Amino acid sequence: MEVQAQVLRIINKKSKKEQRRKNVRRKVFSRLEMLEGAKSICAGAATIALAGAAVGIGNVLSSLIHSVAQNPSLAKQSFGYAILGFALTEAIALFAPMMAFLISFVF
């Protein structure tokens, strides 16, 4: 009887240790899954800047059209400024996917 009780105690101790290990593994996996989810959310949020860049490009070109309509003699000079504004706005638009890729694959 006493030997059987000792054997049962040893088995119960092993199973408790295994349960603790399983719980630790579950916590680790859930944290990794949460991290992956957070990365996806952040990468999606980083791409929202593309909508802002599209609005900015639209504003630059609409301002060019308005200025040429009001003063056609300054069309060449206005066009140069519009291209500069377009380039700067497009540079901001290129940073958004770059940040999304950095968040997704580097961090």
Side-chain angles (χ1 to χ4, degrees):
M1 264 318 208
E2 203 171 300
V3 174
Q4 288 178 347
Q6 288 178 350
V7 169
L8 286 175
R9 284 183 201 147
I10 292 171
I11 291 172
N12 286 336
K13 284 182 182 179
K14 286 184 180 179
S15 65
K16 286 181 182 179
K17 287 181 182 179
E18 290 174 7
Q19 288 175 355
R20 287 180 190 154
R21 287 180 188 160
K22 287 180 185 178
N23 287 338
V24 169
R25 287 181 189 160
R26 286 183 192 157
K27 288 180 184 177
V28 170
F29 286 132
S30 66
R31 287 180 184 163
L32 291 176
E33 290 171 357
M34 286 174 40
L35 181 63
E36 288 297 319
K39 281 183 182 181
S40 298
I41 291 170
C42 291
T47 57
I48 291 174
L50 293 175
V55 170
I57 291 170
N59 283 339
V60 167
L61 295 179
S62 71
S63 296
L64 172 68
I65 292 170
H66 285 288
S67 67
V68 169
Q70 287 180 0
N71 194 354
S73 63
L74 292 176
K76 288 185 179 181
Q77 185 179 5
S78 297
F79 185 74
Y81 289 137
I83 292 297
L84 178 64
F86 173 79
L88 293 174
T89 307
E90 191 66 26
I92 297 297
L94 292 176
F95 286 124
M98 181 185 68
M99 291 307 295
F101 286 129
L102 282 174
I103 291 169
S104 297
F105 298 115
V106 176
F107 297 117

